[in-house]
């Protein structure tokens, strides 16, 4: 099994339809690895890096419920461990048939750590997407720069 897929894409910030389709596909593939015996709620995520690598993650739950990890955070942690610090986009997949999967608040903050203007593709199993920026998902956010702002 390939650990990292590569997508051919134009250099621009705008992703082609094929790239979005492939990213969604990769998030759906990642969803198949979900370890969620407690919630039975499968989630997959696929991150697109600046060099067009795709790094995926799934949710990983635990018998000690509060230790469960979300798919998005797993994907981001894997990518950061590989040396990436910025991202073009992330796609998220679940089994909800009528709703776009919405990332939890913790994952929004985790995404925001690595910039607020990149794209998040919320998807449905039929492949349809809702594109939002991290900033739209988490407005008026707290980020790394805030730590060094003027204090009393
Ligand atoms: N979950 C994610 O992995 N990502 C989301 O965006 C929403 C929720 C996981 C956490 C838990 O394993 C299961 O879905 C139910 O909350």
């Amino acid at each position: 099994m390939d650990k990292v897929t590569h997508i051919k894409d134009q250099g621009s910030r705008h992703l082609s339809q094929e790239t979005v389709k492939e990213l969604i596909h990769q998030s759906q593939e990642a969803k198949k690895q979900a370890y969620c015996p407690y919630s039975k709620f499968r989630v997959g995520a696929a991150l697109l890096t600046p060099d067009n690598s795709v790094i995926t993650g799934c949710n990983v739950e635990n018998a000690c419920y509060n230790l469960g990890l979300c798919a998005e955070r797993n994907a981001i942690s894997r990518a950061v461990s590989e040396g990436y610090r910025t991202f073009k986009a992330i796609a998220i997949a679940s089994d909800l048939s009528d709703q776009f999967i919405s990332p939890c608040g913790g994952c929004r903050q985790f995404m925001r750590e690595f910039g607020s203007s990149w794209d998040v593709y919320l998807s449905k199993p039929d492949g349809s997407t809702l594109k939002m920026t991290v900033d739209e998902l988490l407005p008026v956010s707290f980020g790394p720069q805030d730590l060094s702002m003027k204090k009393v």
Side-chain angles (χ1 to χ4, degrees), residues 20-21 24-25 27-28 91-94 96-101 121-131:
V20 174
K21 218 173 145 194
I24 298 298
H25 174 71
S27 69
Q28 291 172 340
I92 314 166
S94 83
L96 293 174
S97 50
D98 300 333
Q99 271 171 271
F100 295 106
I101 178 67
Y121 288 87
L122 320 183
S123 80
K124 290 183 193 171
D126 66 4
S128 56
T129 57
L130 172 65
K131 180 174 106 165

Side-chain angles (χ1 to χ4, degrees), residues 39 41 43 59 61 70-72 102-104:
S39 72
F41 192 91
V43 184
N59 53 333
E61 298 184 347
C70 289
E72 300 90 321
S102 179
C104 80

